Amino acid sequence: MKCHRVNELIELLHPEWQKEPELNLMEMIGKLAAEAGYEGKLEDLTDDVLIYHLKMRNSNKDEMIPGLAKDCEDDFKTAILRARGIIS
């Protein structure tokens, strides 16, 4: 994991962990993984799962995932034309 990803994960985790200070780190990570729907072993859990879950944890269910919203097209025709390189 790159240094900036460690910093991002800590920055996102800190306020959420403060809400439940009685949990140890592994309990908090396990709770976040379960909330995100992750069913594998914790040692296989990627930082991406935690980062995206923490970013979306307190958002509206209809809100788009950060990073995808910038590429979203409201109109199917525009999306096809942009994908084919006809418009930019």
Side-chain angles (χ1 to χ4, degrees), residues 25-36:
L25 179 59
M26 291 308 297
E27 289 172 330
M28 186 67 185
I29 290 174
K31 179 178 180 171
L32 293 170
E35 285 177 8

Side-chain angles (χ1 to χ4, degrees), residues 15-16 26 54 63 72 74:
E16 297 301 317
M26 291 308 297
L54 285 164
E63 193 172 323
C72 182
D74 294 329

Side-chain angles (χ1 to χ4, degrees), residues 11-57:
E11 183 180 305
L12 291 167
L13 181 61
H14 187 257
E16 297 301 317
W17 197 3
Q18 282 184 321
K19 294 175 186 174
E20 302 180 63
E22 71 281 357
L23 299 179
N24 67 43
L25 179 59
M26 291 308 297
E27 289 172 330
M28 186 67 185
I29 290 174
K31 179 178 180 171
L32 293 170
E35 285 177 8
Y38 182 79
E39 296 177 351
K41 295 187 270 181
L42 282 182
E43 58 264 20
D44 296 331
L45 180 67
T46 65
D47 54 320
D48 289 330
V49 171
L50 292 173
I51 288 170
Y52 279 108
H53 179 64
L54 285 164
K55 283 183 176 182
M56 298 300 293
R57 189 174 194 214

